[in-house]
């Protein structure tokens, strides 16, 4: 069932690099995705991709839970002449070469390490860039089916 709500503005959040913050972010992302028109199943997948991205920031960008900020922006956009949701995650951690951001080999069966694969499987476009002034920026886009 698609929501008839309208998404007219950019939603911005700033959280601490703490796993305890992720639940409220997931809820907010689901609400915004529904407002754009995504189904409940798709909103859950989008929230999972965001959750995995934030967990990666906390673990790899910040080296573990901390009070450093993570900025999240959620907006409805026109992309390739279609309605889409764009989610930007900006951290203030370690900068890395975007070419080095990759999940482990799927043949390596063990817990963890699948966040990057999940993000790419769920979203239509995923772009990592070094952020101005340090840290990284991740932009994820998903077209409305």
């Amino acid at each position: 069932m698609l929501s008839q709500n309208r998404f007219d503005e950019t939603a911005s959040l700033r959280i601490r690099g703490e796993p305890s913050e992720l639940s409220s972010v997931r809820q907010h992302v689901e609400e915004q995705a529904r407002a754009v028109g995504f189904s409940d199943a798709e909103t859950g997948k989008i929230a999972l991709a965001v959750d995995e991205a934030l967990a990666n920031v906390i673990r790899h960008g910040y080296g573990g839970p901390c009070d450093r900020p993570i900025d999240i922006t959620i907006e409805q956009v026109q992309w390739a002449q279609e309605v889409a949701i764009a989610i930007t995650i900006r951290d203030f951690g370690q900068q890395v070469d975007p070419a080095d951001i990759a999940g482990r080999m799927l043949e390596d069966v063990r817990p963890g390490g699948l966040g990057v694969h999940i993000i790419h499987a769920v979203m239509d476009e995923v772009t990592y860039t070094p952020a101005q002034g340090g840290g990284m920026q991740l932009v994820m886009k998903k077209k409305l089916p």
Side-chain angles (χ1 to χ4, degrees), residues 86-130:
I87 301 166
T88 302
I89 297 174
R90 199 268 199 236
D91 69 63
F92 299 85
Q94 178 181 353
Q95 277 191 338
V96 297
D97 182 342
D100 292 338
I101 300 172
R104 65 174 164 77
M105 299 299 292
L106 292 177
E107 295 80 21
D108 181 9
V109 179
R110 62 184 161 90
L114 296 175
V116 173
H117 290 292
I118 291 169
I119 293 166
H120 282 275
V122 169
M123 304 305 282
D124 294 321
E125 181 178 86
V126 178
T127 307
Y128 294 93
T129 56

Side-chain angles (χ1 to χ4, degrees), residues 11 13 25 29 45-58 60-62 69-75 85-99 101-102 114-132 134-142:
L13 303 166
V25 173
V29 168
K45 291 176 186 176
I46 293 166
L48 175 62
V50 171
D51 193 68
E52 291 291 339
L54 292 171
N56 285 346
V57 168
I58 293 168
H60 302 293
Y62 290 163
I70 303 171
D71 292 332
I72 305 152
T73 305
I74 309 162
E75 56 190 331
I85 192 167
I87 301 166
T88 302
I89 297 174
R90 199 268 199 236
D91 69 63
F92 299 85
Q94 178 181 353
Q95 277 191 338
V96 297
D97 182 342
I101 300 172
L114 296 175
V116 173
H117 290 292
I118 291 169
I119 293 166
H120 282 275
V122 169
M123 304 305 282
D124 294 321
E125 181 178 86
V126 178
T127 307
Y128 294 93
T129 56
Q132 186 84 347
M136 297 297 292
Q137 180 170 288
L138 165 62
V139 178
M140 302 178 285
K141 293 180 184 174
K142 176 99 176 148

Side-chain angles (χ1 to χ4, degrees), residues 10-67:
T10 300
S12 297
L13 303 166
R14 174 169 270 195
I15 64 167
R16 293 174 293 120
E18 291 283 342
S20 61
E21 300 269 2
L22 301 185
S23 176
S24 64
V25 173
R26 282 192 303 271
Q27 181 179 354
H28 193 76
V29 168
E30 288 177 347
E31 290 170 2
Q32 298 303 323
R34 273 190 209 98
V36 171
F38 287 94
S39 69
D40 287 343
E42 287 297 314
T43 63
K45 291 176 186 176
I46 293 166
L48 175 62
V50 171
D51 193 68
E52 291 291 339
L54 292 171
N56 285 346
V57 168
I58 293 168
R59 173 180 262 173
H60 302 293
Y62 290 163
C66 64
D67 284 335

